[in-house]
Short mmCIF file of all heavy atoms in Angstrom, two decimals:
data_model
loop_
_atom_site.label_atom_id
_atom_site.label_comp_id
_atom_site.label_asym_id
_atom_site.label_seq_id
_atom_site.Cartn_x
_atom_site.Cartn_y
_atom_site.Cartn_z
N PRO X 827 33.36 -133.06 -29.38
CA PRO X 827 34.31 -132.56 -28.38
C PRO X 827 34.57 -131.05 -28.53
O PRO X 827 34.73 -130.35 -27.53
CB PRO X 827 35.57 -133.37 -28.67
CG PRO X 827 35.06 -134.67 -29.20
CD PRO X 827 33.88 -134.28 -30.04
N ALA X 828 34.64 -130.57 -29.77
CA ALA X 828 34.90 -129.14 -29.99
C ALA X 828 33.81 -128.29 -29.36
O ALA X 828 34.09 -127.23 -28.76
CB ALA X 828 35.01 -128.85 -31.49
N GLN X 829 32.55 -128.72 -29.46
CA GLN X 829 31.46 -127.97 -28.86
C GLN X 829 31.51 -128.03 -27.34
O GLN X 829 31.20 -127.06 -26.65
CB GLN X 829 30.12 -128.47 -29.37
CG GLN X 829 28.91 -127.69 -28.92
CD GLN X 829 28.91 -126.23 -29.38
OE1 GLN X 829 29.72 -125.85 -30.24
NE2 GLN X 829 28.06 -125.42 -28.82
N VAL X 830 31.92 -129.18 -26.79
CA VAL X 830 32.08 -129.30 -25.34
C VAL X 830 33.14 -128.30 -24.85
O VAL X 830 32.94 -127.59 -23.86
CB VAL X 830 32.47 -130.73 -24.93
CG1 VAL X 830 32.89 -130.78 -23.46
CG2 VAL X 830 31.31 -131.69 -25.19
N GLU X 831 34.25 -128.23 -25.56
CA GLU X 831 35.31 -127.30 -25.17
C GLU X 831 34.82 -125.86 -25.24
O GLU X 831 35.11 -125.04 -24.35
CB GLU X 831 36.52 -127.47 -26.10
CG GLU X 831 37.24 -128.80 -25.91
CD GLU X 831 38.34 -129.02 -26.92
OE1 GLU X 831 38.58 -128.14 -27.77
OE2 GLU X 831 38.98 -130.09 -26.86
N TYR X 832 34.07 -125.53 -26.28
CA TYR X 832 33.56 -124.17 -26.46
C TYR X 832 32.66 -123.76 -25.31
O TYR X 832 32.73 -122.62 -24.82
CB TYR X 832 32.80 -124.07 -27.78
CG TYR X 832 32.24 -122.70 -28.06
CD1 TYR X 832 33.02 -121.74 -28.69
CD2 TYR X 832 30.95 -122.37 -27.70
CE1 TYR X 832 32.52 -120.47 -28.94
CE2 TYR X 832 30.43 -121.10 -27.95
CZ TYR X 832 31.22 -120.16 -28.56
OH TYR X 832 30.72 -118.90 -28.80
N MET X 833 31.81 -124.66 -24.87
CA MET X 833 30.88 -124.33 -23.79
C MET X 833 31.56 -124.38 -22.42
O MET X 833 31.15 -123.66 -21.49
CB MET X 833 29.70 -125.29 -23.82
CG MET X 833 28.85 -125.22 -25.08
SD MET X 833 28.10 -123.61 -25.36
CE MET X 833 26.82 -123.63 -24.09
N THR X 834 32.58 -125.21 -22.27
CA THR X 834 33.20 -125.42 -20.95
C THR X 834 34.20 -124.34 -20.59
O THR X 834 34.23 -123.86 -19.45
CB THR X 834 33.88 -126.80 -20.91
OG1 THR X 834 32.93 -127.81 -21.25
CG2 THR X 834 34.44 -127.08 -19.53
N PHE X 835 35.01 -123.94 -21.55
CA PHE X 835 36.09 -122.99 -21.26
C PHE X 835 35.84 -121.67 -22.00
O PHE X 835 35.38 -121.66 -23.13
CB PHE X 835 37.43 -123.60 -21.68
CG PHE X 835 37.80 -124.80 -20.90
CD1 PHE X 835 37.57 -126.07 -21.41
CD2 PHE X 835 38.34 -124.68 -19.63
CE1 PHE X 835 37.89 -127.20 -20.68
CE2 PHE X 835 38.65 -125.81 -18.89
CZ PHE X 835 38.43 -127.08 -19.41
N PRO X 836 36.13 -120.54 -21.32
CA PRO X 836 36.86 -120.41 -20.05
C PRO X 836 36.00 -120.37 -18.79
O PRO X 836 36.52 -120.05 -17.71
CB PRO X 836 37.57 -119.08 -20.23
CG PRO X 836 36.61 -118.26 -21.04
CD PRO X 836 35.93 -119.23 -21.97
N ARG X 837 34.70 -120.68 -18.89
CA ARG X 837 33.89 -120.60 -17.66
C ARG X 837 34.39 -121.58 -16.60
O ARG X 837 34.34 -121.28 -15.40
CB ARG X 837 32.42 -120.83 -18.00
CG ARG X 837 31.80 -119.66 -18.77
CD ARG X 837 30.32 -119.84 -19.01
NE ARG X 837 30.01 -120.91 -19.93
CZ ARG X 837 28.78 -121.20 -20.36
NH1 ARG X 837 27.75 -120.48 -19.93
NH2 ARG X 837 28.57 -122.19 -21.21
N ALA X 838 34.89 -122.75 -17.04
CA ALA X 838 35.45 -123.69 -16.08
C ALA X 838 36.71 -123.13 -15.42
O ALA X 838 37.04 -123.50 -14.29
CB ALA X 838 35.77 -125.02 -16.76
N SER X 839 37.40 -122.24 -16.11
CA SER X 839 38.58 -121.58 -15.53
C SER X 839 38.17 -120.72 -14.34
O SER X 839 38.88 -120.64 -13.32
CB SER X 839 39.29 -120.73 -16.58
OG SER X 839 39.64 -121.49 -17.71
N ALA X 840 37.02 -120.08 -14.45
CA ALA X 840 36.49 -119.27 -13.35
C ALA X 840 36.10 -120.17 -12.17
O ALA X 840 36.38 -119.85 -11.01
CB ALA X 840 35.29 -118.46 -13.81
N ILE X 841 35.48 -121.30 -12.46
CA ILE X 841 35.12 -122.24 -11.40
C ILE X 841 36.36 -122.76 -10.70
O ILE X 841 36.40 -122.91 -9.47
CB ILE X 841 34.27 -123.39 -11.97
CG1 ILE X 841 32.89 -122.87 -12.38
CG2 ILE X 841 34.13 -124.53 -10.96
CD1 ILE X 841 32.03 -123.88 -13.09
N ALA X 842 37.41 -123.02 -11.47
CA ALA X 842 38.67 -123.52 -10.89
C ALA X 842 39.24 -122.51 -9.90
O ALA X 842 39.74 -122.89 -8.83
CB ALA X 842 39.67 -123.80 -12.00
N GLU X 843 39.18 -121.22 -10.25
CA GLU X 843 39.73 -120.21 -9.34
C GLU X 843 38.87 -120.08 -8.08
O GLU X 843 39.41 -119.90 -6.98
CB GLU X 843 39.85 -118.87 -10.05
CG GLU X 843 40.41 -117.77 -9.14
CD GLU X 843 41.32 -116.82 -9.86
OE1 GLU X 843 42.26 -117.28 -10.54
OE2 GLU X 843 41.10 -115.60 -9.72
N ILE X 844 37.56 -120.18 -8.22
CA ILE X 844 36.68 -120.15 -7.06
C ILE X 844 37.00 -121.32 -6.13
O ILE X 844 37.06 -121.18 -4.91
CB ILE X 844 35.21 -120.21 -7.49
CG1 ILE X 844 34.83 -118.97 -8.29
CG2 ILE X 844 34.28 -120.34 -6.27
CD1 ILE X 844 33.50 -119.10 -9.01
#
Side-chain angles (χ1 to χ4, degrees):
Q829 185 62 12
V830 170
E831 292 174 1
Y832 180 86
M833 297 299 287
T834 305
F835 296 98
R837 289 184 292 184
S839 304
I841 290 174
E843 180 143 309
I844 296 167

